[in-house]
Amino acid sequence: MVCVAAKKAPYKILSIDPWLKPYQQDIDLRMSRFAEIRKTLLGKDKDLAEIANGHLYYGIHRTEDGWVYREWAPGANQMHLIGEFNNWDRQSHPMKRIDAGGTWEIELHGADALRHKQLVKVQVTRNGVSRDHIPLYIRRVVQNKLDHTFSGQVWSPEKPFKWTDGSYKRRKISPLYIYESHIGMAQEQGEVGSYDEFTDLILPRIKAEGYNTVQLMAIQEHPYYASFGYQVSNFFAASSWYGEPEGLKRLINKAHEMEMLVLLDVVHSHACANVDEGINQFDGTDYQFFHPGEAGNHPAWGSKLFNYGKHEVLHFLLSNCKFWQDEYHFDGFRFDGVTSMLYHDHGLGESFDSYSKYFSMNTDVEAVTYLQLANELIHSVNPFAVTIAEDMSGMPGMGLPIRAGGVGFDYRLSMGVPDFWIRTLKSASDLDWDMFGMWHELTTRRPQEASIGYCESHDQALVGDKTIIFRLADAEMYTNMNKTYESLVIDRAIALHKMIRFITLVLASEGYLNFMGNEFGHPEWIDFPREGNGWSYHYARRQWSLADNGFLKYEWLRQFDLDMLKFSRKYHVLSKRDLYNLWMDQNQKIIAFSKGGLIYLFNFHPSESPTDFFLPCHSVGEGSYQVVFSSDDHAYGGQDRIPHDTKYQSQMVQGKGLGFYIYSPCRSVLVLKKTSK
């Protein structure tokens, strides 16, 4: 249990980051408001896990003698349950308001009053105007293939799903190697993939490639497939695009049996603006869940913005977190759009180049409080749960414990790293690459806040943007990826693709993330079916066969990624904290450093390969060194210019110090380990 109300001494965040001391009042406000709202929500002798049970009270549930349906709709004047069970009769099943807070209820007697898979809606009337809605807590939503409308579906199978992962809440996996995935486009055929196909075909692939965590996008129900899941309409419904709820449960159960975590990409930063499909205007008002008027509309996304100052909204969202943990056994969450939540202007166009921009009238302290409550709840349900914040602003304390004055996330995404690589790849020449800027971007982060590093996001894979491999190779991806073809463009692309991923993994984080297919340089952008492409699924898929068939250079990149993760696990790369910069050379494009007793030598130069580069080793010590990893190996499409059996004996060289001379091929990285003193 978290308790902060009695705290008088300055919070630890102020000693962790002394630059925050002028803003102690703002940190105190953050924490006092959290304590106040928490106390109001919980009352006496309760914890968040006890009160975050909206999904167990509201919605459609079996009872001893039938069914009960409850809904929170404070603005409604009348409500009627309608559906297949009563031939959509709009008068036969009125609901009654049972409290002043706006809870409505109807009891249906008899076990057959409702049946599994029957379609239902609720007619809501306000000020004489009636509209049909999907129940707020519905567990499943389905689309009518004829008119493309959506309805709720009673989901109460006679035999509940049998879980076989009983110890999953007692499992801690660290560090995280995350494989970000989209179920629907994970298959090679041009159609929407299913939960079961992902379970059978993709989970084994993820496991074999060395990832230990699966992060699932687009799981909460969304009516528009091409939204990538970021326009959520029904927060308690697992997306029907990929099959039935039990399919998702089988997927997660299987992942747990394979000793992998499963994270949900949860969207609590905004909601789909659709009225017929979503929660917008459910009770006839625009302010039930959202800010009224224009304040409730996201200026860039066309979606609705939650009012985190309303306790009922907090209860809805907190219950949603607990629901996905309890009902589907998710091991944690990646919170989408956190920056948009943190600021009233949603961080649009803001540089966040001074601390004052984190603490001002622009900061939505109510959203900060919600994120703190969510983190406390999630970890109380499962002490080993993982939470990750997608925040590009760098809000101080996002990844610090609540008791320290933080927001409570376990990790924050290193969102500046992909942006850095985009800027670098747009440079006119490889000789313009900034080694000092690269070091700064990859190693600078908030003290004692763990990060998830990644070199490219899923956004870069979408039409209108470019992945790293596409920026490097462009059109030659379609003509020169056969292993028998020679291409200087492809050689450069493959070499730099490997180096960028490797240096990002080693330097940028305490965890690592990859979007599916990017590990082997998937050549095509993602373009979901739409009117502009004739509703085609051709680009909304992953062509695994490109890396599997043995004829194409994609295999080299996949093998490199596999061995890179194997190397990282063997030497515990992500958990080492003894980073030491050994050498930086802007002209030669060389970066050398030590970490975890290993020495890393990166040569980003397009053509210069010094045969007698003096590599300092004073941070590791005197001894004999040998290469244990190289991006230039033939198995990765390299030229085998780096021998693995050569021993390099350190020596003291006047004017240079302790080190040894070594050949450093252009566009390559090598790693050395001390083998003897």
Side-chain angles (χ1 to χ4, degrees):
M1 180 179 290
V2 175
C3 184
V4 297
K7 184 141 179 122
K8 294 181 180 179
Y11 291 96
K12 190 177 179 181
I13 189 175
L14 299 172
S15 59
I16 292 173
D17 186 354
W19 289 96
L20 283 171
K21 287 182 180 177
Y23 305 96
Q24 178 174 345
Q25 203 169 17
D26 296 281
I27 298 297
D28 289 342
L29 174 63
R30 170 193 290 182
M31 300 310 297
S32 63
R33 191 181 186 285
F34 167 72
E36 175 189 348
I37 299 302
R38 185 180 183 278
K39 182 178 179 181
T40 304
L41 286 174
L42 300 186
K44 256 191 168 185
D45 303 323
K46 289 184 180 179
D47 60 36
L48 284 171
E50 287 182 88
I51 65 107
N53 288 319
H55 54 292
L56 300 180
Y57 180 75
Y58 294 108
I60 299 171
H61 300 281
R62 288 184 182 271
T63 63
E64 288 185 2
D65 63 345
W67 300 78
V68 64
Y69 168 50
R70 299 188 190 95
E71 205 69 89
W72 174 64
N77 302 130
Q78 294 179 3
M79 296 183 70
H80 291 80
L81 181 62
I82 59 176
E84 291 180 324
F85 74 99
N86 67 358
N87 293 315
W88 302 97
D89 188 320
R90 297 183 174 276
Q91 300 299 322
S92 63
H93 287 75
M95 300 178 69
K96 60 181 179 180
R97 187 167 182 149
I98 62 173
D99 63 31
T103 299
W104 295 75
E105 180 183 272
I106 182 173
E107 295 184 30
L108 295 89
H109 299 288
D112 293 333
L114 290 176
R115 293 182 181 177
H116 178 53
K117 293 191 176 183
Q118 283 183 329
L119 300 183
V120 291
K121 286 189 176 183
V122 58
Q123 177 184 271
V124 181
T125 303
R126 174 178 168 82
N127 297 337
V129 178
S130 297
R131 190 156 192 167
D132 295 348
H133 292 274
I134 296 172
L136 292 175
Y137 288 81
I138 200 74
R139 304 291 180 91
R140 179 163 165 80
V141 173
V142 292
Q143 185 181 34
N144 185 313
K145 301 302 181 183
L146 296 177
D147 61 10
H148 303 293
T149 60
F150 289 82
S151 297
Q153 188 174 43
V154 176
W155 202 257
S156 183
E158 191 172 324
K159 292 183 178 179
F161 180 79
K162 187 175 181 180
W163 294 93
T164 59
D165 63 345
S167 64
Y168 86 99
K169 285 189 179 181
R170 299 191 295 275
R171 181 180 301 154
K172 181 177 177 62
I173 293 180
S174 180
L176 301 180
Y177 297 95
I178 304 173
Y179 202 81
E180 185 181 20
S181 307
H182 184 286
I183 301 292
M185 55 168 286
Q187 308 307 317
E188 186 138 0
Q189 64 270 25
E191 59 187 43
V192 180
S194 70
Y195 294 121
D196 287 336
E197 288 172 323
F198 192 93
T199 302
D200 295 339
L201 302 176
I202 310 304
L203 281 183
R205 180 181 292 273
I206 296 171
K207 179 69 174 179
E209 290 187 4
Y211 293 89
N212 59 23
T213 304
V214 183
Q215 182 175 299
L216 296 180
M217 307 172 62
I219 294 300
Q220 294 173 290
E221 188 62 82
H222 49 289
Y224 184 43
Y225 184 58
S227 74
F228 233 13
Y230 292 121
Q231 295 273 342
V232 174
S233 54
N234 312 100
F235 285 78
F236 292 84
S239 178
S240 58
W241 288 107
Y242 327 121
E244 296 183 346
E246 279 64 34
L248 177 57
K249 292 179 180 180
R250 282 191 292 271
L251 187 162
I252 296 172
N253 193 64
K254 183 63 176 179
H256 287 163
E257 289 178 351
M258 299 169 74
E259 299 186 337
M260 291 193 290
L261 301 180
V262 186
L263 307 181
L264 173 66
D265 193 350
V266 71
V267 184
H268 283 180
S269 49
H270 62 133
C272 176
N274 294 19
V275 175
D276 292 336
E277 294 90 358
I279 67 174
N280 187 21
Q281 298 181 34
F282 180 84
D283 72 344
T285 71
D286 67 346
Y287 51 82
Q288 180 184 4
F289 287 98
F290 312 116
H291 292 287
E294 276 305 305
N297 299 322
H298 198 290
W301 299 343
S303 52
K304 301 298 295 183
L305 296 169
F306 286 106
N307 181 355
Y308 304 105
K310 292 182 72 169
H311 291 178
E312 295 89 349
V313 173
L314 294 178
H315 185 252
F316 179 82
L317 295 175
L318 291 171
S319 297
N320 193 235
C321 293
K322 186 180 179 185
F323 167 79
W324 289 106
Q325 288 180 282
D326 284 353
E327 183 70 18
Y328 287 95
H329 290 198
F330 275 100
D331 299 283
F333 304 89
R334 179 262 202 188
F335 275 72
D336 174 70
V338 168
T339 305
S340 178
M341 300 171 68
L342 294 175
Y343 308 99
H344 293 299
D345 66 1
H346 314 296
L348 297 173
E350 184 55 75
S351 60
F352 295 100
D353 52 4
S354 74
Y355 272 52
S356 61
K357 294 181 179 178
Y358 299 120
F359 306 105
S360 66
M361 296 298 291
N362 187 36
T363 303
D364 189 339
V365 293
E366 294 171 342
V368 175
T369 299
Y370 165 65
L371 292 171
Q372 290 175 303
L373 291 168
N375 274 294
E376 181 188 340
L377 167 70
I378 291 163
H379 291 101
S380 68
V381 173
N382 178 3
F384 297 122
V386 175
T387 58
I388 303 170
E390 189 212 28
D391 170 36
M392 52 75 60
S393 75
M395 168 67 81
M398 190 62 57
L400 289 177
I402 298 170
R403 64 180 179 276
V407 183
F409 283 96
D410 298 296
Y411 299 90
R412 62 192 316 154
L413 285 177
S414 294
M415 298 187 70
V417 174
D419 291 342
F420 168 79
W421 287 123
I422 291 174
R423 294 194 305 271
T424 299
L425 292 169
K426 286 181 176 179
S427 297
S429 166
D430 293 358
L431 293 176
D432 295 331
W433 285 27
D434 182 358
M435 298 297 102
F436 292 94
M438 185 184 299
W439 178 264
H440 174 80
E441 186 61 56
L442 294 175
T443 62
T444 304
R445 43 193 178 268
R446 295 214 170 274
Q448 298 186 33
E449 297 193 41
S451 297
I452 301 294
Y454 59 120
C455 54
E456 54 188 334
S457 71
H458 58 246
D459 291 332
Q460 288 167 248
L462 293 169
V463 164
D465 207 337
K466 290 185 177 181
T467 60
I468 286 176
I469 197 70
F470 233 144
R471 289 188 184 278
L472 290 167
D474 212 6
E476 291 207 25
M477 293 289 289
Y478 295 105
T479 58
N480 293 325
M481 285 299 282
N482 192 294
K483 290 180 181 179
T484 61
Y485 295 167
E486 296 293 335
S487 167
L488 292 178
V489 171
I490 296 298
D491 288 348
R492 170 182 178 266
I494 288 176
L496 292 177
H497 190 271
K498 292 181 293 185
M499 294 182 72
I500 288 170
R501 304 183 89 74
F502 193 73
I503 198 169
T504 299
L505 180 143
V506 174
L507 290 182
S509 63
E510 291 72 37
Y512 180 73
L513 178 142
N514 167 70
F515 177 68
M516 65 178 191
N518 284 355
E519 73 277 9
F520 67 85
H522 197 283
E524 294 181 335
W525 57 82
I526 299 165
D527 188 12
F528 284 102
R530 55 187 174 84
E531 187 175 359
N533 65 16
W535 302 103
S536 170
Y537 287 89
H538 179 73
Y539 293 107
R541 60 191 180 116
R542 296 284 88 175
Q543 298 182 67
W544 308 107
S545 60
L546 295 175
D548 293 345
N549 63 30
F551 301 110
L552 302 176
K553 298 173 183 178
Y554 300 104
E555 183 184 19
W556 293 338
L557 295 178
R558 183 187 63 186
Q559 188 62 45
F560 177 81
D561 194 76
L562 190 154
D563 288 349
M564 177 181 74
L565 298 191
K566 189 181 297 184
F567 164 85
S568 180
R569 291 194 304 274
K570 179 178 179 179
Y571 292 104
H572 309 286
V573 171
L574 294 180
S575 61
K576 300 300 181 182
R577 302 289 179 268
D578 56 346
L579 181 64
Y580 192 95
N581 191 322
L582 293 170
W583 191 260
M584 299 274 284
D585 192 313
Q586 179 69 0
N587 293 324
Q588 287 190 300
K589 303 301 176 190
I590 285 178
I591 297 178
F593 57 88
S594 65
K595 181 181 179 182
L598 303 176
I599 295 179
Y600 298 79
L601 176 58
F602 287 82
N603 182 347
F604 283 94
H605 202 283
S607 58
E608 291 189 9
S609 302
T611 58
D612 58 350
F613 177 77
F614 184 79
L615 180 59
C617 66
H618 52 272
S619 60
V620 180
E622 182 180 357
S624 178
Y625 289 80
Q626 190 170 353
V627 171
V628 293
F629 190 83
S630 162
S631 67
D632 197 51
D633 287 0
H634 181 71
Y636 316 138
Q639 302 175 47
D640 271 336
R641 293 170 292 176
I642 300 171
H644 286 245
D645 54 356
T646 301
K647 299 289 182 68
Y648 302 90
Q649 184 63 45
S650 66
Q651 55 183 303
M652 289 296 299
V653 176
Q654 189 172 3
K656 294 179 180 291
L658 182 67
F660 51 88
Y661 291 96
I662 189 170
Y663 173 43
S664 177
C666 62
R667 289 185 180 142
S668 72
V669 53
L670 57 88
V671 187
L672 300 111
K673 178 184 178 183
K674 187 166 68 171
T675 58
S676 62
K677 292 185 178 180

